[in-house]
Amino acid sequence: MKFYDCKPAPSPRRVRVFMAEKGIEIPTVQVDLRNGEHLKPEFRAINPHCTVPVLVLDDGTRLVSTAAIWRYLEETRADPPLMGTTATEKAVIADTQWRIEAEGFMAIAEALRNSTPGMKDRAVTGPVNYAQIPELAARGRQRAEVFLGRLDEMVGTKPFLCGDRYTVADIDAMIAVDFAKWIKLELPAGAANARRWYASVASRPSARA
Amino acid sequence: MKFYDCKPAPSPRRVRVFMAEKGIEIPTVQVDLRNGEHLKPEFRAINPHCTVPVLVLDDGTRLVSTAAIWRYLEETRADPPLMGTTATEKAVIADTQWRIEAEGFMAIAEALRNSTPGMKDRAVTGPVNYAQIPELAARGRQRAEVFLGRLDEMVGTKPFLCGDRYTVADIDAMIAVDFAKWIKLELPAGAANARRWYASVASRPSARA
């Protein structure tokens, strides 16, 4: 297998932390997003969608989304389980991930990509250029604030987001909180539950992956 | 269990077709989105995110995303499998779903919700009101056209999107094609593979669910 990564970017980090928790090591290639390496013909031949992470399997299959790579690694390296063990656990984790993705990651990405001068005409990932929409940057920021505010209730008094066990939802939400720092947002000062949870998950060795 | 549905809306239909393929029947409640029933206190008590579909499990657990409901039903009613059998199949289906969701559904929803007069201030689903952004409607429409154009290559000469077997990716993409009609877009006239595939999946009895 081969893993295409970009160390500073949030999405491939979601895969790296997942791999670290499972003790998986895969030969890794760094793709220099800041210098547009993902838009060059050599990388387009690997992933025409021009995004990382990418996991190339031994049979040549290319997985080009975080969700697909997580699924593959969970199926092939079950221990420790990060996506649930019972049907209900698996579904609750999927529900939580959906929320983090739609209300967290996408909102933060909207705010960032529609306002950062270096991302002019790159408001959406992928091979097609789209102009920035300043109103969308403002709305994304507002939605990201709503998401960060809700995390406190989502965690509640539980050790982890989905209960007593660390799961992929904790990876996802931790990295969403870190990604929010790119647009200068953080967990509300009074969010005691979310702050306690974040301190716990961010102190795991895997968080440095 | 109890299923909260809205017959005309695309997301709960994704669950209905999935259930029909598996032969699952669950007592169903219709939620009248057009008259704002999802925003009233009675429904907020069931799903504070004010969206359908919702599946309430027998233990009271509430699943409030299509992804989570699919996962639960796949885990508890394995036959016929709709989300893959081998690790690679499961991952390829997840990859395809991700693309349909991010580039299809979300683009169409952006175009629709940011332009329809009846959705003023409802540009994003959920309990918080957000104003429409006309530029985002235009961009969503452009992205939806790109997605519909890509479906031909995604299907290629295969019987179904992910190979020889009908999967959840076919459900998702079929409903994305139908959802695109809401913004008056359709598969390109020359998209022979995509049109052959659509005719096949849309003629299954489940498509009428």
Side-chain angles (χ1 to χ4, degrees):
Chain A
M1 289 196 286
K2 194 182 276 189
F3 177 58
Y4 290 84
D5 186 20
C6 173
K7 196 80 187 174
S11 279
R13 184 178 168 221
R14 297 194 282 177
V15 175
R16 292 198 308 271
V17 175
F18 193 94
M19 292 197 295
E21 287 284 341
K22 284 184 180 277
I24 296 171
E25 292 186 17
I26 298 175
T28 296
V29 178
Q30 292 297 320
V31 181
D32 186 353
L33 300 186
R34 291 200 182 167
N35 286 310
E37 193 181 341
H38 55 306
L39 299 171
K40 293 188 176 152
E42 294 78 5
F43 189 73
R44 280 179 199 246
I46 296 156
N47 179 11
H49 305 292
C50 307
T51 52
V52 287
V54 176
L55 183 64
V56 181
L57 307 185
D58 289 337
D59 71 358
T61 302
R62 288 161 193 182
L63 304 176
V64 298
S65 65
T66 305
I69 298 172
W70 279 336
R71 173 59 54 200
Y72 183 80
L73 298 177
E74 182 78 356
E75 296 291 332
T76 52
R77 179 78 68 102
D79 190 48
L82 292 174
M83 299 174 82
T85 50
T86 70
T88 302
E89 274 175 21
K90 289 176 185 181
V92 167
I93 292 167
D95 228 19
T96 309
Q97 283 185 279
W98 163 255
R99 196 147 303 285
I100 297 164
E101 184 73 29
E103 299 182 354
F105 268 96
M106 292 205 173
I108 299 162
E110 276 174 5
L112 181 74
R113 299 191 72 99
N114 287 283
S115 65
T116 304
M119 287 177 165
K120 190 171 176 300
D121 292 326
R122 297 291 308 153
V124 180
T125 61
V128 181
N129 280 351
Y130 293 98
Q132 293 177 327
I133 302 174
E135 277 179 279
L136 182 58
R139 191 184 85 182
R141 189 179 176 82
Q142 190 186 346
R143 290 176 61 219
E145 285 186 282
V146 170
F147 169 76
L148 290 171
R150 277 183 191 153
L151 264 178
D152 201 59
E153 193 188 332
M154 283 171 73
V155 179
T157 57
K158 304 188 296 296
F160 299 108
L161 264 178
C162 294
D164 291 333
R165 189 183 284 183
Y166 179 90
T167 72
V168 67
D170 296 295
I171 295 174
D172 220 6
M174 172 184 77
I175 296 176
V177 170
D178 288 342
F179 189 27
K181 294 170 190 167
W182 293 34
I183 56 167
K184 298 188 170 38
L185 289 181
E186 58 178 38
L187 290 168
N193 289 323
R195 285 177 169 266
R196 180 258 313 152
W197 159 82
Y198 178 82
S200 160
V201 296
S203 68
R204 295 169 78 94
S206 64
R208 294 190 298 275
Chain B
M1 291 196 283
K2 192 182 281 189
F3 178 58
Y4 290 84
D5 186 19
C6 173
K7 195 82 186 172
S11 279
R13 183 177 168 222
R14 297 194 282 177
V15 174
R16 291 198 309 271
V17 176
F18 192 95
M19 293 197 296
E21 287 283 342
K22 284 182 180 279
I24 297 172
E25 292 186 17
I26 298 174
T28 296
V29 178
Q30 292 297 322
V31 181
D32 185 354
L33 300 187
R34 289 199 184 168
N35 285 311
E37 193 181 341
H38 56 305
L39 299 171
K40 293 189 175 151
E42 294 77 6
F43 188 73
R44 279 178 200 248
I46 294 156
N47 178 13
H49 305 292
C50 307
T51 52
V52 286
V54 176
L55 183 65
V56 182
L57 306 185
D58 290 336
D59 71 359
T61 301
R62 288 160 193 183
L63 304 177
V64 297
S65 64
T66 305
I69 297 171
W70 278 336
R71 172 60 52 201
Y72 183 80
L73 298 176
E74 180 80 356
E75 296 290 333
T76 53
R77 179 78 67 104
D79 190 47
L82 293 174
M83 299 174 80
T85 50
T86 68
T88 302
E89 274 175 22
K90 290 176 184 180
V92 167
I93 293 167
D95 228 20
T96 309
Q97 284 185 279
W98 162 255
R99 195 147 304 283
I100 297 164
E101 183 74 29
E103 299 181 354
F105 267 96
M106 292 205 175
I108 299 163
E110 277 174 4
L112 180 76
R113 300 190 72 98
N114 286 283
S115 65
T116 304
M119 288 179 164
K120 191 173 174 297
D121 292 327
R122 298 292 308 153
V124 179
T125 61
V128 181
N129 281 350
Y130 293 98
Q132 293 176 328
I133 302 175
E135 277 179 278
L136 182 57
R139 191 183 85 182
R141 188 177 177 83
Q142 190 186 346
R143 289 177 60 220
E145 286 185 281
V146 170
F147 170 75
L148 291 170
R150 277 184 190 151
L151 263 178
D152 200 60
E153 192 188 332
M154 283 171 73
V155 179
T157 56
K158 304 187 298 294
F160 299 108
L161 263 178
C162 295
D164 292 333
R165 189 182 285 184
Y166 179 89
T167 71
V168 67
D170 296 295
I171 297 174
D172 219 7
M174 173 185 75
I175 297 175
V177 169
D178 288 342
F179 189 27
K181 295 170 189 166
W182 294 34
I183 56 167
K184 300 187 171 33
L185 288 181
E186 56 178 38
L187 289 169
N193 289 322
R195 285 178 170 266
R196 181 258 312 153
W197 158 83
Y198 178 82
S200 159
V201 296
S203 67
R204 296 168 77 94
S206 64
R208 295 190 297 274

